Amino acid sequence: MVVVLSALFGGTNIALPSIGSGGVTTGVPFRRELPLLSSVFLAASLDSAMSKHEEMGTTAMHRYRFRYCFGLTLTVCALSFCVETLAVSVDAGVIFVRSILVWLGLALFSVRLLGPQLSWPLPLASALLLIWYPQTWWDWTSNSATDLFSWTVAAAALAVGATASAATPWRAKGWNRR
């Protein structure tokens, strides 16, 4: 659904009030913020009614959960890349995928920090910072597809999110005993 929204309405600007400029509004392309929705939905897909019990699961359960998340993320990234490439350009597809990865890492970290129903606060906070305090050097949603710093941010965010996701209370107890 997010991919369809991006293809149809991605170029539309979202009118947002700017900070400190007395009623002036700024416009942000809808396409820049849509990867946030994909990432939050991906992180939310790991939650279930049995999520607390699943944290106590065997290594086979955790491997299945990892494969499910990896496969779903890969599918979403491939689909998003294809649609963005057809709708805009290859660079836009790469930037969309990079944004998904950054916000997925933040969403997974948010789940571990705030609970399974709250995969959205950290990604939303970062989006608000990107919208109201745009800096060309750290805005991964608008930097070029080959920007090394933005890819480093994506790798770091995904690593932090994956580590936080793997740090279940049972594993953390095992790590503390060592």
Side-chain angles (χ1 to χ4, degrees):
M1 188 62 173
V2 173
V3 174
V4 172
L5 282 174
S6 180
L8 296 177
F9 305 109
T12 306
N13 279 346
I14 303 168
L16 297 168
S18 64
I19 293 179
S21 51
V24 175
T25 59
T26 59
V28 177
F30 197 39
R31 177 168 282 116
R32 282 182 46 193
E33 308 310 320
L34 280 173
L36 186 142
L37 289 175
S38 294
S39 301
V40 168
F41 292 152
L42 282 169
S45 73
L46 294 175
D47 186 36
S48 73
M50 300 281 294
S51 61
K52 287 295 180 191
H53 298 290
E54 289 170 358
E55 285 183 353
M56 296 181 286
T58 64
T59 55
M61 176 63 191
H62 290 288
R63 272 195 306 269
Y64 171 76
R65 189 172 186 253
F66 170 76
R67 287 182 188 141
Y68 173 74
C69 185
F70 183 77
L72 195 58
T73 302
L74 193 62
T75 303
V76 166
C77 286
L79 189 61
S80 298
F81 176 76
C82 291
V83 170
E84 285 297 307
T85 298
L86 291 173
V88 184
S89 68
V90 173
D91 284 349
V94 171
I95 292 168
F96 200 92
V97 168
R98 180 178 63 204
S99 296
I100 288 174
L101 296 177
V102 171
W103 277 319
L104 177 61
L106 290 174
L108 290 172
F109 186 63
S110 185
V111 165
R112 179 57 57 206
L113 203 63
L114 304 172
Q117 301 292 323
L118 296 172
S119 62
W120 57 269
L122 290 180
L124 182 61
S126 70
L128 294 176
L129 288 174
L130 290 175
I131 291 168
W132 282 316
Y133 299 108
Q135 300 291 325
T136 56
W137 62 273
W138 68 281
D139 187 358
W140 65 81
T141 64
S142 64
N143 286 342
S144 73
T146 58
D147 183 47
L148 186 60
F149 181 76
S150 296
W151 281 107
T152 304
V153 168
L158 202 54
V160 166
T163 303
S165 183
T168 62
W170 295 98
R171 282 187 179 161
K173 285 181 185 179
W175 293 338
N176 290 334
R177 283 187 232 155
R178 292 180 192 171

